[in-house]
Amino acid sequence: MGAPYRANLFRVGRRTQYWIIYTVDEDAGVIDVLQFWNAMRDPRDFEI
């Protein structure tokens, strides 16, 4: 994964973590959330 995609890892509760994958269009001031990804899942299954 690379530009223009961005990702942040966030925690829900004590043990659950999710990646949020998104793009940013700075010219238009728009953020598009593409996917929430459970951090426990196999990263080889990830597709955008």
Side-chain angles (χ1 to χ4, degrees):
M1 187 170 22
Y5 302 108
R6 299 181 186 188
N8 281 326
L9 183 64
F10 65 96
R11 183 181 304 261
V12 178
R14 289 180 151 186
R15 290 189 267 167
T16 305
Q17 296 183 70
Y18 286 90
W19 285 101
I20 182 172
I21 295 88
Y22 60 99
T23 60
V24 177
D25 182 341
E26 293 179 12
D27 295 332
V30 175
I31 297 172
D32 288 320
V33 175
L34 304 174
Q35 192 166 36
F36 286 99
W37 184 260
N38 187 323
M40 296 294 290
R41 291 182 62 186
D42 187 346
R44 292 175 291 187
D45 294 335
F46 180 76
E47 290 182 29
I48 293 183

